[in-house]
Amino acid sequence: MRSLPSIIHLDMDAFFAAVEQAAKPSLRGKPVIVGGLGGRGVVSTASYEARKFGVHSAMPMAQARRLCPNAAFLTGRFEAYRQNSEIVMGLLRELSPLVQPLSLDEAFVDLEAGPYGPVLAEADHETGERLVLALAEDLRADIQRLTGLTGSVGAAGSKLMAKIASEQAKPDGLVLIEPGEERAVLGPMPVRALPGIGPATEQVLRRAGLSTVADLAEAGEAELVQLLGRAHGAGIFQMSIGLDERPVVADQDAKSVSVEDTYEVDLADRDRVLREVEALAGRCVRRLRGAGRSGRTVVLKVRRFDFSTLTRSETLGGPTDDLAVITATARRLAEQVDITGGVRLLGVGVTQLADYTQEDLFAQALREEAAEHAEAAEAAEAEEEPEEAVVRRWLPGQDVHHAEFGPGWVQGSGVGRVTVRFETPWSGPGRVRTFGVDDPELEPARPLPLRKPGEPGAEGV
């Protein structure tokens, strides 16, 4: 265990909903709920204004509507979330090369491995703590300056305590837990505060009369091993007394590279699923190359309409970062999956990582085959008659651009009409106008940055 609280955990505050409020001035200070809007949709994120009504993540959307009927219910804009996540993760990597992202809005950072490591190593305890607090405050200020968003930071001597500190700091705060205070902080907490204790394990512990972390520590390792098994019981006991030796593992040291998307409407069309898999494979390859890695096993993750999750994998002849190879493999895996009932989530990953690629005839053959298929598809398309126009679908929260009125977002649609509010992240609340769903002057658009390019504080966006 460290003598200085040099591990920090950043957790962005209500990230998806906060991005929506920052992008849409008319929603600031109002309840916003992001998630799937269909009959089986669930809440991805609720703003703090919506949480006051009892709305929380993973809640069925129908229940959220009953609890907070006047909220803005929006579909997710994952491109916007990724854009802002990249800004935040970039700031973290300025502090240390050891950044371990847990999701788009959450990561651990090991400050001892970064440019301030030598200073921390030589500093006395009080000076070291002041430096950690200053770095954390600067980080929060930089995030606010570049994105307009807030994040909560916890600092401690271990990952376990840093995460607990960031939870205590929410929203928009900073908490430091001094090494040596772990048991005092953990003791009163419910057992679910420890990672690795879910509902089933909690019930086992409760039946044994163990409801707080202090109870676990007092029970001792032997009893927990008897209740939970050797590996799980021993690990839970170590955490209950504040011991956590898990290192911060950077992207390039990870055992896999993967990306995934959750869809606001279940995907039931095979062609659409395959297109999404291709896009995910492309993003996965970019991350793989960005880390200077290659991989031998391609993994497909599918979460179905009933929340059941399955994975399929295929191991190649050697490690590769070839886009054609990884995309073709992911497509092949997707074609084997039954999508009856719809798909909520898709993910593509690469495991068995290496620091080199193995160029082989397989990759070359796939690229040539893909080129031939593309040429054949273009020729066939030229011969086909034009298809009938399909009525466009507009989703609440979607970014749009109108030839006359400029950028805006969809407030709602139905009965052949779509209502758009025209505003930008850097404007005031905008006016609302209604159009036909097939208005040729209204087009889908890319998300705008949350800070206006060129304005003070927007450098680097």
Side-chain angles (χ1 to χ4, degrees):
M1 297 290 291
R2 303 184 181 204
S3 59
L4 273 178
S6 55
I7 292 177
I8 65 173
H9 178 261
L10 168 71
D11 195 356
M12 299 297 291
D13 299 322
F15 184 56
F16 291 0
V19 170
E20 298 300 342
Q21 289 177 316
K24 302 171 171 63
S26 58
L27 298 184
R28 293 171 190 167
K30 299 178 180 179
V32 173
I33 299 171
V34 179
L37 304 185
R40 296 188 306 273
V42 296
V43 175
S44 294
T45 309
S47 69
Y48 286 97
E49 296 85 354
R51 295 181 190 188
K52 293 177 182 178
F53 293 86
V55 180
H56 57 77
S57 298
M59 173 182 285
M61 190 62 77
Q63 183 181 356
R65 289 185 184 277
R66 290 193 297 271
L67 291 173
C68 193
N70 295 321
F73 291 86
L74 308 176
T75 55
R77 298 185 304 129
F78 291 97
E79 183 179 359
Y81 310 147
R82 282 194 294 271
Q83 287 176 355
N84 289 282
S85 174
E86 288 171 0
I87 294 172
V88 172
M89 296 301 165
L91 290 171
L92 296 182
R93 291 187 179 95
E94 292 178 6
L95 293 174
S96 173
L98 288 185
V99 176
Q100 182 178 353
L102 304 180
S103 62
L104 288 175
D105 61 341
E106 184 181 3
F108 288 108
V109 183
D110 185 346
L111 296 176
E112 288 185 2
Y116 296 95
V119 180
L120 290 170
E122 296 178 3
D124 59 58
H125 188 80
E126 183 179 349
T127 302
E129 283 196 353
R130 285 203 304 268
L131 177 56
V132 169
L133 287 171
L135 292 173
E137 287 289 13
D138 286 348
L139 170 64
R140 295 176 60 243
D142 287 342
I143 291 172
Q144 172 76 34
R145 174 175 58 85
L146 293 178
T147 67
L149 305 174
T150 63
S152 299
V153 176
S158 68
K159 290 167 68 173
L160 169 66
M161 300 309 298
K163 184 169 175 61
I164 286 173
S166 71
E167 291 170 355
Q168 294 179 347
K170 283 191 164 294
D172 190 21
L174 167 61
V175 168
L176 182 147
I177 296 177
E178 291 200 23
E181 297 296 317
E182 290 87 358
R183 294 191 68 169
V185 172
L186 288 170
M189 293 184 169
V191 294
R192 285 289 296 275
L194 297 182
I197 298 183
T201 302
E202 180 186 26
Q203 290 305 311
V204 171
L205 296 172
R206 282 191 177 278
R207 284 195 293 269
L210 308 175
S211 58
T212 68
V213 176
D215 292 338
L216 300 179
E218 292 171 9
E221 183 173 353
E223 182 175 347
L224 294 180
V225 166
Q226 185 176 7
L227 288 170
L228 306 176
R230 180 167 301 279
H232 195 195
I236 293 298
F237 175 71
Q238 291 294 308
M239 286 190 287
S240 75
I241 60 175
L243 297 180
D244 178 19
E245 299 288 352
R246 294 174 299 161
V248 176
V249 181
D251 271 350
Q252 60 265 32
D253 297 325
K255 296 180 180 179
S256 66
V257 171
S258 63
V259 296
E260 61 183 42
D261 269 345
T262 302
Y263 303 99
E264 58 272 7
V265 178
D266 291 356
L267 307 183
D269 177 71
R270 174 74 63 181
D271 289 339
R272 171 73 188 282
V273 168
L274 294 176
R275 287 197 301 272
E276 293 295 334
V277 166
E278 290 177 355
L280 288 166
R283 285 168 47 200
C284 182
V285 168
R286 287 195 294 275
R287 283 195 61 185
L288 195 65
R289 292 174 176 172
R293 310 301 297 278
S294 61
R296 190 179 176 194
T297 299
V298 178
V299 180
L300 176 76
K301 176 181 176 182
V302 179
R303 180 165 297 146
R304 295 163 52 103
F305 71 97
D306 59 359
F307 289 96
S308 62
T309 302
L310 57 88
T311 58
R312 296 287 185 269
S313 64
E314 181 176 328
T315 300
L316 308 173
T320 184
D321 65 354
D322 188 275
L323 176 60
V325 172
I326 293 173
T327 300
T329 306
R331 274 186 61 100
R332 192 159 51 248
L333 294 170
E335 288 167 351
Q336 302 169 12
V337 175
D338 180 9
I339 64 169
T340 304
V343 171
R344 288 178 175 271
L345 175 148
L346 287 169
V348 173
V350 177
T351 64
Q352 289 189 275
L353 301 185
D355 292 322
Y356 66 94
T357 61
Q358 181 173 312
E359 294 294 343
D360 53 24
L361 295 176
F362 178 55
Q364 182 179 345
L366 271 174
R367 285 193 293 268
E368 293 173 352
E369 182 181 348
E372 291 174 1
H373 282 313
E375 292 176 3
E378 289 177 5
E381 186 178 348
E383 295 175 1
E384 289 179 358
E385 295 182 2
E387 298 180 0
E388 293 184 8
V390 178
V391 176
R392 292 188 294 179
R393 187 179 183 200
W394 303 100
L395 300 173
Q398 179 181 352
D399 294 291
V400 296
H401 188 277
H402 190 275
E404 179 180 353
F405 301 108
W409 58 278
V410 174
Q411 282 203 165
S413 64
V415 199
R417 312 292 287 175
V418 55
T419 300
V420 177
R421 184 180 288 274
F422 290 98
E423 59 187 8
T424 67
W426 47 84
S427 73
R431 293 188 59 183
V432 174
R433 298 181 183 274
T434 300
F435 308 92
V437 294
D438 57 353
D439 190 319
E441 295 192 319
L442 186 67
E443 295 289 342
R446 300 282 302 277
L448 294 171
L450 298 183
R451 287 292 193 230
K452 189 174 184 179
E455 74 175 5
E459 61 275 9
V461 177

